[in-house]
């Protein structure tokens, strides 16, 4: 199923402020990452401001949200911000969007916005994409949807340019392959790129990642988790080639904690 060449993103937050954030952006570009991706959370600087700064500090690095949580903005506000980033970055922005974690309910309330039902949040994503397309005109903002459930997989296949497989960290490989097939079926003749976010490089799980995923290293290894890559550079490269063959994933993102550790794999596989 080898289709698209590999490219790589690094997921990081601008939590420590300007100088450190710009250093991260420049380092990601130096190491050959395609994209710097920024999470969306009211406890962090807004990704739109952070990504605009990162784009100014670099020359070719793409920037993207990972992902805008639909409950934290109206659909039209999200589309406006996204199109604006496409304009000010010279076309280097990728809109990543998803329905948001359950923890976003309280954050949405703080903003005076409804969290919404599952269907309402899906409808908001669809409206955001449609509105971005309208605002873009002759430009094009690539849209990435983080797709966990069947409804959003179908929506992503129908409307997104990029779809990140967002099942649970212990989702079996065969089940994830089925999810990828659902997305491709929904896409039909549309050309889409499939992605996968890898939380852990190596066999040590940082405490903040373990808290987020709810799984320690032993559990991830025992379940052959797709959220982990370990072994030598050769081992990791071979595993990613296997995942591309079996799942069709070619856009791999890793947590910023592993930006240096994963760089040799980026150098090995980027563009291949």
């Amino acid at each position: 199923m080898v289709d698209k060449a590999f490219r790589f993103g690094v997921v990081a937050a601008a939590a420590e402020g300007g100088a450190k954030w710009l250093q991260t952006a420049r380092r990601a570009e130096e190491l050959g990452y395609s994209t710097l991706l920024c999470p969306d959370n009211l406890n962090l600087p807004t990704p739109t401001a952070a990504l605009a700064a990162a784009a100014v500090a670099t020359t070719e690095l793409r920037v993207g949200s990972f992902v805008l949580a639909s409950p934290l903005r109206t659909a039209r506000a999200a589309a406006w911000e996204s199109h604006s980033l496409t304009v000010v970055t010279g076309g280097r922005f990728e809109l990543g969007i998803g329905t948001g974690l359950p923890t976003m309910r309280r954050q949405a309330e703080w903003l005076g916005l409804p969290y919404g039902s599952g269907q309402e949040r899906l409808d908001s994503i669809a409206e955001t994409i449609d509105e971005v397309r309208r605002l873009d005109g002759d430009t094009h903002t690539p849209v990435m949807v983080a797709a966990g459930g069947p409804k959003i997989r179908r929506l992503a296949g129908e409307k997104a340019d990029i779809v990140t497989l967002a099942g649970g960290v212990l989702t079996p490989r065969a089940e994830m392959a089925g999810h990828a097939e659902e997305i491709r079926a929904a896409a039909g003749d549309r050309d889409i790129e499939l992605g996968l976010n890898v939380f852990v490089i190596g066999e040590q799980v940082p405490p903040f990642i373990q808290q987020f995923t709810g799984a320690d290293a032993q559990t991830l290894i025992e379940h052959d988790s797709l959220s982990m890559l370990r072994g030598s550079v050769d081992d990791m490269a071979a595993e990613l080639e296997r995942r591309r063959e079996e799942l069709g994933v070619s856009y791999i993102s890793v947590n910023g904690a592993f930006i240096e550790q994963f760089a040799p794999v980026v150098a090995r596989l980027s563009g291949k």
Side-chain angles (χ1 to χ4, degrees):
M1 193 185 292
V2 174
D3 185 11
K4 294 186 177 298
F6 281 112
R7 68 182 182 118
F8 299 92
V10 58
V11 182
E16 297 182 42
K20 178 67 173 177
W21 174 244
L22 299 185
Q23 181 183 356
T24 297
R26 295 186 185 108
R27 187 58 176 156
E29 184 169 61
E30 289 171 1
L31 292 174
Y33 288 89
S34 166
T35 319
L36 178 62
L37 301 163
C38 191
D40 189 28
N41 189 306
L42 294 189
N43 298 316
L44 300 169
T46 174
T48 51
L51 294 171
V56 170
T58 55
T59 56
E60 297 181 359
L61 184 72
R62 300 186 65 78
V63 296
S65 50
F66 198 82
V67 294
L68 291 190
S70 63
L72 301 188
R73 295 162 190 80
T74 66
R76 291 186 178 183
W80 173 46
E81 291 183 11
S82 300
H83 173 71
S84 298
L85 275 167
T86 293
V87 172
V88 301
T89 64
R92 286 192 281 149
F93 174 67
E94 297 176 4
L95 165 61
I97 191 166
T99 56
L101 298 171
T103 53
M104 294 293 176
R105 182 183 296 276
R106 190 170 283 185
Q107 296 193 17
E109 289 174 354
W110 187 85
L111 290 170
L113 295 170
Y115 180 69
S117 67
Q119 187 59 53
E120 287 170 336
R121 284 178 281 131
L122 284 173
D123 291 344
S124 179
I125 290 174
E127 184 182 350
T128 297
I129 296 172
D130 291 344
E131 189 68 13
V132 167
R133 301 295 186 228
R134 186 188 70 80
L135 291 172
D136 275 351
D138 293 334
T139 62
H140 182 75
T141 301
V143 175
M144 186 275 287
V145 171
K151 289 184 178 179
I152 196 168
R153 287 195 291 271
R154 189 160 49 251
L155 171 64
E158 292 171 353
K159 288 184 173 288
D161 303 285
I162 309 155
V163 185
T164 290
L165 301 176
V169 296
L170 303 184
T171 302
R173 191 180 295 253
E175 184 177 334
M176 197 72 87
H179 295 173
E181 274 302 318
E182 289 178 37
I183 293 164
R184 282 190 289 268
D189 294 334
R190 296 180 61 252
D191 183 31
I192 60 170
E193 181 179 39
L194 293 183
L196 187 67
N197 186 41
V198 178
F199 288 99
V200 180
I201 303 299
E203 298 188 3
Q204 300 297 318
V205 182
F208 73 95
I209 291 179
Q210 182 169 330
Q211 182 178 9
F212 180 76
T213 63
D216 60 15
Q218 182 177 351
T219 301
L220 295 176
I221 292 169
E222 288 175 350
H223 286 79
D224 186 28
S225 174
L226 294 173
S227 67
M228 172 184 267
L229 275 173
R230 57 197 181 99
S232 66
V233 172
D234 288 344
D235 293 335
M236 289 190 282
E239 170 60 20
L240 288 178
E241 288 172 336
R242 177 189 175 191
R243 294 182 187 186
R244 181 171 63 178
E245 179 66 29
E246 294 178 349
L247 307 176
V249 296
S250 57
Y251 184 17
I252 308 298
S253 54
V254 300
N255 190 278
F258 303 104
I259 185 173
E260 300 288 343
Q261 187 176 345
F262 191 63
V265 179
V266 174
R268 172 80 63 88
L269 293 180
S270 286
K272 297 180 181 177

